[in-house]
Amino acid sequence: MAKKSQQKKKKGRGRQKQVDLVRRQVGLLVTKELEVEINACREEVEKIAKDCKNRNAKFRDPDFDLTRDWERCIYGMKETLRLKPSVRRVTEIFDKPKFFNDKGAAESSAIHQGCIGDCYFLAGLGTVCCIPGLIEKICVARDEEVGVYGFIFFQDDGWCRVIVDDLLPIQNPRHFDSLDDGERQLFVEDRDLFHHVQKNRGSRLTYAKSGSDGETWVPLIEKAYAKLYGSYEHLDRGWTTEAIEDLSGGVSTTFYTQDILDRDRFWKEEMSKANTDRLLSASFFGDETQGLISEHAYSILKAIEWNGKRFVLVRNPWGDSEWGGPWSDGSKEWEPQWLGALKELDHVFGDDGKFVMEYDDFLKYFEQVGRTFLFDESWVLVSEWMKVDVENVPALPSYGNLSYKVTILEPTKAIICLSKLNTRGFKTAPLGPPLVCQFAIVKAGERKPLRVSSPSGDSRVTLELDLEAATYMIYVKTEHESTIDHPTAGPCNPIKTQTVAKLLASKVKSLSLVKNWDTGLRSKFVPKTLEEVIEEDLVETSVEDEDPGGGEDPALPLSQDVPETKPLAEEDECIPKEVDSDGESAATQVTPAVQDTPASETGPKPPVDHESPPAPIVPSVELKGLHWTVIMSLLTTVLRAVDYIALTCLYLFGASSEPIKDDAEEAGQESNPQLEIEELTPGRELDQPATVDHHFEELCSPTYPPPSMPKNWVDLYHDAGNSVFLGLRVYTQTKEPCTIVGRVRSSSE
């Protein structure tokens, strides 16, 4: 007995050493928020537990109460049949609840999917279990007596904590009297035995369940994930890579098995490294075949090479329904000489959702392989998020509308990820159109891109490369997948905008050969090439280099135009400059700075039309620093005074007879009655006509015209319908973080 206990202690110490080693190597992405959120999570759990014990009460989460606020917590805003669930605490569901199994660890075999389509999350959970100690780090703190649990998740560019209670939805259990004679014999006519088995196997849980008796970490972390995104309904459908990113802070890439050029290389570079610095998952679409479920997420638990054959261990998060082809459980291929592979894979036969496939069969039947790269403490993350307005018009995707300038301070391996904003938390609100994204990275001053990503409709597009200390431009190309009414058939036959766009682009290219045809449409329907965008930026940069007085302060965001301030000794007078032989002023010409926000009012100069006659030569006068500031201030004051006087007269003498109409009313469009109600001024009755109050305030505002921002909850609810939100995340192994400046050009630039 003493030897066995010593062996168990050695095994325990060995596992602990393995866990500590993994934590030092890969795991949760270390950001400045990580330790802050972990400590804050622990403190909040301890505070709640102490307060509950003082009050002699278990914890009930006021922000996610499945009893009092069950409609929001379960269904969110989804329009569906709503059935009130039965809710019980884990101590009422299990006789002896325990967070983890008897080993004190999280294992993938404990995960079983429930009555919601979150297989992607549970498959990701099973994959994360392959890294020892990683789940234990996500489950930060708990007090099982009080019923309070704290978790952390990664969101877009930082960590956040989620606190939940132990109330879980359950299905109404069967009663012993409802069993037929055969079912009663299974329980030896023992009513107490039946209720004990029904209770402790967790079969009563509506959503995710644990495999072992009384294990609670799976349904509780699923509940925390549901609270993170607002409701259980918001967890329906997704990608395993997204879930793994939320759990680890890693960054993902999707490989399409049809596109793999060298299968041996893919095995060596990706599959064989599973569970070291990356986690893998798989899925496919189409018909179900040999036990595999289409449009379903699977975890890849292991990949080994044994006696010249390559095997992949896969798991279905349902906990059953396995592969039935070659090398499946109990198949004829498992001859005695191959049984050693089972030990290496740590696999036993049984209907537990885990199965073995040969590598070639795996690539044959699975269409997508998701890879999530995990980070250690040497990696640094910097991100920049931008809003890009999209028009539901037929136009081909083009580079240049969105770009980022990234400055790397020292040579490093870098992972550059263009991400869509995580919208799962408000997925039942109107969202922007589906996007296909692509980007190219170009070293500043060069004309050829270093790398160009493949176009992808996933939530992120990723490139991995080694970068020198330099400045790089990231040019983004987006293609939104939407439909418009057919030009002839009308709304009964909608057509994809890209179908019309390609037709119009072909027509414009042909018509542009006609000398007297209006070529102004070419810039709208024929997209710019990457080379053209790079050339425009090079020209713009050279102008800024020649004119440092008209450039931008590098210490400020590009969206701010700040006139250069010079010493007063250099600003005594404005001196006319001589004109050279080429018609250009010898003085540094003042070039308007390009704003890098969607509300930009200026932009780069249009390309020169070499066929148009030359502009008349006018001697230019250089105004610098303080002179510009004084002149612009005076002009602004005068213009505002004129606007104020004119609008005051209009308000006093003309508002009562006819209210000012906005642009939509002038165009003959019906106004939104909901917006009219929201814009009523205090003290005015609903039956009184609207006045010019809000127009007057907006016109006199220094920010007129007002930016395109939501004014009330209805606008905010529909705001994302015409916009997409993209962020550039740059991961580097540097002491100093890189810098990112985003830029959005308007369609007129």
Side-chain angles (χ1 to χ4, degrees):
M1 292 294 292
K3 290 183 178 180
K4 288 184 178 181
S5 62
Q6 289 178 358
Q7 290 177 354
K8 287 183 178 180
K9 289 181 180 179
K10 288 182 179 179
K11 288 182 180 180
R13 287 195 296 267
R15 176 178 172 80
Q16 185 61 42
K17 290 180 180 179
Q18 183 185 14
V19 169
D20 293 339
L21 179 62
V22 171
R23 285 177 176 173
R24 288 194 299 269
Q25 292 177 347
V26 296
L28 305 183
L29 173 65
V30 178
T31 66
K32 61 182 180 181
E33 299 92 355
L34 177 59
E35 289 301 324
V36 173
E37 289 298 327
I38 289 177
N39 293 332
C41 184
R42 287 173 178 162
E43 291 175 2
E44 187 170 353
V45 169
E46 291 174 0
K47 181 180 178 181
I48 291 173
K50 182 178 180 180
D51 178 67
C52 288
K53 290 176 181 178
N54 290 336
R55 294 187 293 108
N56 192 28
K58 289 199 169 186
F59 174 59
R60 181 181 292 270
D61 186 3
D63 298 324
F64 202 73
D65 193 333
L66 292 175
T67 302
R68 299 171 184 169
D69 197 13
W70 62 270
E71 287 187 287
R72 178 185 65 84
C73 298
I74 300 295
Y75 299 104
M77 293 186 66
K78 185 176 180 180
E79 298 178 2
T80 184
L81 177 63
R82 303 187 174 202
L83 301 176
K84 185 175 182 179
S86 298
V87 179
R88 298 288 185 274
R89 292 190 177 273
V90 295
T91 52
E92 298 175 294
I93 300 173
F94 303 104
D95 286 334
K96 296 180 180 179
K98 53 192 176 184
F99 193 69
F100 290 125
N101 58 22
D102 294 335
K103 300 177 183 177
E107 295 182 350
S108 61
S109 58
I111 302 169
H112 293 261
Q113 187 178 348
C115 300
I116 194 171
D118 63 346
C119 60
Y120 69 96
F121 173 68
L122 299 178
L125 205 60
T127 305
V128 172
C129 287
C130 296
I131 302 294
L134 195 52
I135 291 291
E136 290 83 345
K137 292 190 72 174
I138 299 168
C139 305
V140 175
R142 62 185 183 272
D143 189 310
E144 298 178 60
E145 181 184 5
V146 169
V148 56
Y149 300 81
F151 304 86
I152 56 170
F153 298 99
F154 188 83
Q155 290 287 278
D156 290 326
D157 64 347
W159 291 94
C160 62
R161 64 185 181 275
V162 178
I163 308 296
V164 295
D165 57 31
D166 65 351
L167 288 162
L168 296 172
I170 65 169
Q171 299 173 341
N172 292 323
R174 294 184 65 185
H175 295 284
F176 184 78
D177 296 334
S178 66
L179 303 180
D180 57 31
D181 292 338
E183 290 173 326
R184 291 189 181 189
Q185 290 299 324
L186 293 175
F187 296 95
V188 202
E189 297 287 344
D190 190 332
R191 184 184 298 268
D192 293 336
L193 176 62
F194 168 77
H195 287 300
H196 174 78
V197 172
Q198 283 285 99
K199 182 176 181 180
N200 288 286
R201 283 192 174 177
S203 57
R204 299 167 62 190
L205 290 170
T206 303
Y207 302 120
K209 308 168 182 61
S210 298
S212 59
D213 293 347
E215 198 171 351
T216 62
W217 71 273
V218 176
L220 288 172
I221 196 172
E222 183 190 47
K223 179 179 180 178
Y225 202 57
K227 180 181 178 181
L228 175 70
Y229 286 120
S231 67
Y232 278 96
E233 189 62 43
H234 282 176
L235 301 188
D236 188 51
R237 303 185 66 85
W239 297 99
T240 306
T241 49
E242 296 175 8
I244 298 176
E245 286 183 353
D246 289 345
L247 291 166
S248 67
V251 63
S252 301
T253 302
T254 299
F255 301 100
Y256 294 87
T257 55
Q258 290 181 329
D259 297 341
I260 296 175
L261 178 63
D262 188 334
R263 293 189 169 192
D264 290 336
R265 179 180 171 185
F266 186 76
W267 173 268
K268 294 175 182 178
E269 294 182 355
E270 301 295 342
M271 300 295 294
S272 64
K273 294 182 180 180
N275 308 329
T276 54
D277 62 350
R278 63 203 65 199
L279 297 172
L280 304 178
S281 58
S283 62
F284 74 97
F285 298 87
D287 298 330
E288 299 180 6
T289 177
Q290 300 195 68
L292 298 179
I293 311 300
S294 66
E295 299 185 34
H296 185 56
Y298 288 84
S299 306
I300 298 177
L301 303 182
K302 277 189 179 182
I304 67 165
E305 191 164 354
W306 180 268
N307 287 345
K309 281 192 178 292
R310 293 167 175 171
F311 297 104
V312 183
L313 181 62
V314 186
R315 186 178 188 275
N316 184 344
W318 288 356
D320 52 31
S321 300
E322 301 177 3
W323 160 253
W327 302 99
S328 59
D329 289 0
S331 67
K332 62 181 181 179
E333 286 80 12
W334 289 109
E335 298 178 354
Q337 65 268 27
W338 297 108
L339 296 181
L342 291 175
K343 185 177 181 180
E344 184 72 16
L345 289 166
D346 193 21
H347 177 60
V348 294
F349 295 160
D351 190 17
D352 57 357
K354 291 195 292 185
F355 54 88
V356 179
M357 297 182 73
E358 195 175 357
Y359 178 53
D360 289 338
D361 286 334
F362 173 82
L363 294 182
K364 178 181 178 180
Y365 289 100
F366 285 102
E367 297 176 2
Q368 297 180 352
V369 177
R371 188 278 312 272
T372 304
F373 185 84
L374 303 179
F375 297 100
D376 58 26
E377 296 182 358
S378 66
W379 289 88
V380 179
L381 166 63
V382 178
S383 66
E384 176 88 341
W385 295 84
M386 304 294 291
K387 173 188 174 185
V388 182
D389 294 328
V390 295
E391 300 179 45
N392 192 26
V393 296
L396 291 177
S398 175
Y399 285 103
N401 291 339
L402 173 62
S403 61
Y404 296 89
K405 182 164 68 174
V406 180
T407 302
I408 306 292
L409 301 179
E410 55 186 287
T412 179
K413 178 182 177 181
I415 298 178
I416 300 176
C417 179
L418 180 70
S419 304
K420 301 174 187 176
L421 191 69
N422 189 340
T423 59
R424 182 173 295 277
F426 50 95
K427 63 181 295 186
T428 47
L431 302 176
L435 275 186
V436 175
C437 297
Q438 185 178 12
F439 71 88
I441 177 169
V442 182
K443 189 174 182 179
E446 297 184 357
R447 287 177 167 80
K448 293 184 178 180
L450 298 176
R451 292 276 298 277
V452 179
S453 72
S454 300
S456 174
D458 295 342
S459 59
R460 98 285 305 153
V461 188
T462 305
L463 281 180
E464 302 174 22
L465 67 170
D466 295 322
L467 296 178
E468 302 173 354
T471 297
Y472 299 88
M473 296 300 301
I474 310 295
Y475 297 103
V476 179
K477 179 165 69 173
T478 59
E479 176 182 349
H480 61 278
E481 300 175 341
S482 57
T483 60
I484 57 175
D485 294 342
H486 195 283
T488 57
C492 297
N493 187 18
I495 187 171
K496 289 185 177 181
T497 54
Q498 294 306 306
T499 302
V500 181
K502 291 178 181 178
L503 182 147
L504 295 178
S506 178
K507 183 176 182 179
V508 170
K509 286 181 181 178
S510 298
L511 291 176
S512 62
L513 300 176
V514 180
K515 185 175 181 179
N516 60 342
W517 186 72
D518 181 12
T519 57
L521 294 175
R522 181 179 179 85
S523 61
K524 185 173 182 63
F525 292 102
V526 178
K528 293 180 182 179
T529 63
L530 177 60
E531 291 73 17
E532 290 174 336
V533 175
I534 295 173
E535 193 63 34
E536 286 180 3
D537 271 6
L538 289 175
V539 172
E540 185 178 320
T541 303
S542 64
V543 171
E544 292 176 355
D545 291 341
E546 294 173 2
D547 181 15
E552 294 152 338
D553 187 350
L556 295 173
L558 292 179
S559 59
Q560 300 182 20
D561 288 342
V562 181
E564 182 183 8
T565 303
K566 302 241 179 179
L568 293 177
E570 301 179 14
E571 299 179 344
D572 291 336
E573 56 183 353
C574 300
I575 305 174
K577 302 297 179 181
E578 297 181 357
V579 180
D580 60 19
S581 59
D582 295 332
E584 296 291 338
S585 173
T588 304
Q589 297 185 8
V590 179
T591 304
V594 178
Q595 290 191 3
D596 297 284
T597 65
S600 176
E601 298 180 13
T602 61
K605 296 181 179 180
V608 178
D609 185 357
H610 296 286
E611 296 181 1
S612 59
I617 301 174
V618 180
S620 62
V621 177
E622 182 182 28
L623 299 177
K624 298 182 179 179
L626 187 60
H627 296 91
W628 271 117
T629 305
V630 173
I631 291 174
M632 294 304 296
S633 299
L634 290 174
L635 288 175
T636 302
T637 303
V638 171
L639 290 175
R640 288 182 183 174
V642 172
D643 287 343
Y644 182 83
I645 294 171
L647 291 171
T648 301
C649 294
L650 180 63
Y651 178 70
L652 293 176
F653 302 109
S656 59
S657 60
E658 182 180 0
I660 292 177
K661 296 182 179 181
D662 57 23
D663 295 338
E665 291 172 338
E666 290 177 356
Q669 298 176 2
E670 296 181 1
S671 60
N672 189 339
Q674 180 64 40
L675 299 183
E676 292 178 358
I677 293 175
E678 293 292 338
E679 292 170 352
L680 290 175
T681 55
R684 182 165 61 84
E685 298 295 332
L686 292 179
D687 56 352
Q688 292 181 350
T691 66
V692 296
D693 291 352
H694 63 282
H695 297 286
F696 179 77
E697 293 173 357
E698 289 177 358
L699 291 172
C700 294
S701 170
T703 60
Y704 182 81
S708 176
M709 294 295 289
K711 300 180 180 63
N712 52 45
W713 75 269
V714 178
D715 289 340
L716 180 60
Y717 182 76
H718 293 281
D719 179 60
N722 298 319
S723 306
V724 293
F725 305 90
L726 297 174
L728 189 74
R729 294 186 288 177
V730 179
Y731 303 81
T732 57
Q733 291 180 302
T734 56
K735 295 181 180 178
E736 295 295 329
C738 67
T739 59
I740 307 176
V741 178
R743 169 180 182 172
V744 176
R745 294 179 187 260
S746 64
S747 58
S748 61
E749 294 184 59

